[in-house]
């Protein structure tokens, strides 16, 4: 869960910018990202990769920032028109609630993500993005293109994500539940 204080509100995106935050490697979907981004059909679309790793030579309109400090991630996500998380399906990632997706939701940004079991369920329940099969670069490209070409729809999905975050995904809300549980279990006042 993300602390609300780190994500004050969405603001306006920095044009048709797609942002990926995380480890940069083939195991994290780098090949799919480069293949899919080449098919994105939106004027002036750009992709920022933020995270440790060496992506090698990159095509035009793709930039690797390298490692980004934890405190700088919210500002980077606020610049995005779309946040992308194309993780491959693995048993571990299928079970995870992706922090990246919750932070995108906290930022009020629509998400394009892979069909990971828990993450896809979270995105679908909140109505905050598009889920695509990991091995389908064309589906990812189509999802990204549609959100970049339809900024009103992108804002609506981002707003739905922000609302879901505020309602049930803040660190503060979860911390209060945990403290109340401990108080109940120990018989002490919270």
């Amino acid at each position: 869960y993300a602390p609300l204080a780190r994500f004050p509100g969405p603001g306006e995106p920095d044009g048709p910018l797609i942002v990926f935050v995380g480890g940069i490697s083939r195991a994290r979907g780098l090949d799919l990202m480069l293949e899919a981004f080449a098919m994105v059909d939106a004027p002036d679309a750009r992709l920022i990769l933020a995270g440790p790793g060496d992506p090698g030579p990159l095509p035009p309109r793709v930039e690797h920032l390298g490692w980004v400090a934890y405190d700088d991630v919210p500002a980077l996500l606020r610049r995005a028109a779309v946040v992308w998380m194309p993780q491959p399906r693995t048993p571990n990632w299928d079970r995870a609630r992706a922090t990246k997706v919750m932070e995108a939701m906290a930022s009020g940004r629509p998400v394009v993500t892979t069909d990971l079991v828990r993450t896809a369920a979270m995105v679908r329940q909140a109505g905050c993005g598009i889920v695509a099969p990991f091995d389908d670069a064309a589906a990812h490209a189509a999802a990204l293109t549609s959100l970049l070409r339809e900024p009103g729809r992108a804002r609506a999905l981002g707003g739905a994500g922000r609302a879901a975050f505020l309602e049930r995904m803040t660190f503060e809300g979860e911390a209060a539940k945990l403290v109340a549980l401990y108080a109940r279990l120990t018989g002490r006042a919270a």
Side-chain angles (χ1 to χ4, degrees):
Y1 296 95
L4 180 57
R6 290 186 68 219
F7 298 94
E12 286 299 314
D14 182 14
L17 178 63
I18 302 162
V19 173
F20 168 84
V21 177
I24 309 297
S25 69
R26 297 178 100 182
R28 300 252 178 165
L30 178 61
D31 292 341
L32 174 96
M33 283 190 278
L34 295 178
E35 181 183 356
F37 185 70
M39 293 185 271
V40 169
D41 183 19
D44 302 320
R46 296 170 291 140
L47 171 61
I48 288 182
L49 307 173
D54 180 6
L58 295 171
R61 301 178 301 126
V62 179
E63 178 183 2
H64 178 226
L65 300 180
W67 180 83
V68 174
Y70 175 76
D71 288 339
D72 295 336
V73 170
L76 178 59
L77 294 176
R78 283 176 55 116
R79 291 180 54 203
V82 180
V83 176
W84 195 8
M85 196 195 106
Q87 302 286 102
R89 299 237 10 222
T90 67
N92 186 49
W93 285 333
D94 264 341
R95 288 188 299 270
R97 289 186 67 164
T99 301
K100 297 174 205 187
V101 171
M102 285 189 270
E103 289 182 342
M105 292 168 70
S107 299
R109 294 300 183 246
V111 178
V112 172
T113 188
T114 304
D115 53 349
L116 302 170
V117 174
R118 289 192 75 192
T119 298
M122 185 170 56
V123 168
R124 287 180 178 125
Q125 180 184 19
C128 66
I130 300 172
V131 176
F134 170 73
D135 58 356
D136 191 342
H140 281 263
L144 294 165
T145 297
S146 71
L147 293 176
L148 293 177
R149 285 186 168 271
E150 301 174 51
R153 178 178 176 223
R155 272 192 299 280
L157 292 172
R162 175 80 175 170
F165 167 75
L166 293 173
E167 182 182 315
R168 61 182 178 276
M169 294 180 186
T170 66
F171 175 81
E172 293 82 356
E174 291 304 304
K177 290 178 196 173
L178 183 61
V179 169
L181 173 65
Y182 284 154
R184 195 171 67 245
L185 293 173
T186 62
R188 297 180 182 185

